[in-house]
Amino acid sequence: MWSMLRSTWAFRYFIVSSIKTEFMSRFIRSRIGGIWMIINPLVQVCIYALILSSLLSARLPELADQTYGYAIYLTAGILCWSLFSDVVTRCLTIFIENGNILKKMVFPKICLPLITTGTALVNNGLLLLAIIAVFAVLGHGVSPSILLLPVLTALTLALALGFGIVLGILNVFIRDIGQVIPLVLQIGFWFTPVVYVPSVLPDGLRAMLFLNPLYPLVSAYHEVLVFGRTPDLSALTGTALLAFGLMAAGMFMFRRAGAEMVDVL
């Protein structure tokens, strides 16, 4: 594992330049550039807010004095979910899509998911800036607890990267994985309190939320961005252990199956 990390560090300029190239190539002929990356999640927020705001605003008594309280709650959850789903979705097919490059070039294969993660992080950073601007327009300020957001972002990335690497490797050998995971992500989205408040669920389903590793993360995003409070970091212990366990498993699978992956591709 340490040798893999050292080789990744040796190719750090390749990773950074690849992130920059991918970012620029996607919008080279676009009139408004990277703004397209934030339009989709913001439109999604607007749709859900228009449909569900009247139903769920009453479930947010702490934001009852704000006309757009539910939209603010929804936006914070989307920020976390979009980062997680973007990394997992991209990593799922990253090795298959770059099969020719893996056969022709010599570089650590772990660079590919890191490039994907870096690109997703840039997208999420732009979305965060847009969200802060929206909050300012809506009259919702941010508190000093926002300084904890980089920690939550790093944990979200670690969890997504762990899942993404493991699933991306498995997808090379079992292509059904690529068909199943998008469905699982759709179910996971509705099993995560992004567009609803946990209190709307029946007691049985609400208890099952603790089986979702994203639940404490999304809740922490809400605490920081919506309510301006310091989240209970101890509640993130299980998510952190799962994230680092998955990353360790992904590294182990890389070591064992790296050569076979190139042959299968």
Side-chain angles (χ1 to χ4, degrees), residues 76-262:
I78 289 289
L79 181 66
C80 178
W81 175 263
S82 63
L83 178 60
F84 175 81
S85 61
D86 192 16
V87 172
V88 172
T89 302
R90 288 167 175 264
C91 287
L92 185 62
T93 58
I94 190 69
F95 302 115
I96 296 174
E97 292 175 351
N98 293 277
N100 291 331
I101 297 177
L102 290 173
K103 294 177 181 179
K104 296 176 181 179
M105 295 179 61
V106 179
F107 65 96
K109 289 182 281 296
I110 192 64
C111 289
L112 291 178
L114 291 179
I115 292 169
T116 293
T117 301
T119 304
L121 183 59
V122 172
N123 297 350
N124 196 252
L126 293 175
L127 178 59
L128 173 61
L129 294 177
I131 286 174
I132 292 176
V134 170
F135 281 2
V137 172
L138 298 180
H140 179 76
V142 294
S143 69
S145 61
I146 198 174
L147 296 176
L148 291 174
L149 196 59
V151 177
L152 301 180
T153 301
L155 185 53
T156 305
L157 280 176
L159 182 65
L161 187 59
F163 273 117
I165 291 175
V166 171
L167 294 173
I169 295 173
L170 291 176
N171 194 34
V172 173
F173 301 98
I174 309 171
R175 298 300 171 92
D176 292 337
I177 298 291
Q179 306 300 322
V180 171
I181 296 304
L183 299 177
V184 174
L185 286 175
Q186 289 185 34
I187 297 172
F189 176 76
W190 290 106
F191 191 58
T192 306
V194 175
V195 302
Y196 59 86
V197 184
S199 60
V200 305
L201 296 177
D203 293 339
L205 288 177
R206 198 184 314 163
M208 292 177 62
L209 281 176
F210 293 96
L211 300 176
N212 183 352
L214 272 178
Y215 171 55
L217 265 175
V218 171
S219 298
Y221 269 77
H222 286 148
E223 290 291 325
V224 168
L225 292 173
V226 181
F227 304 114
R229 298 189 295 243
T230 300
D232 181 11
L233 297 180
S234 63
L236 298 171
T237 303
T239 300
L241 292 175
L242 177 61
F244 291 114
L246 286 170
M247 291 185 68
M251 294 290 187
F252 176 77
M253 292 171 67
F254 253 116
R255 297 286 294 179
R256 296 295 299 270
E260 295 181 25
M261 284 173 54
V262 177

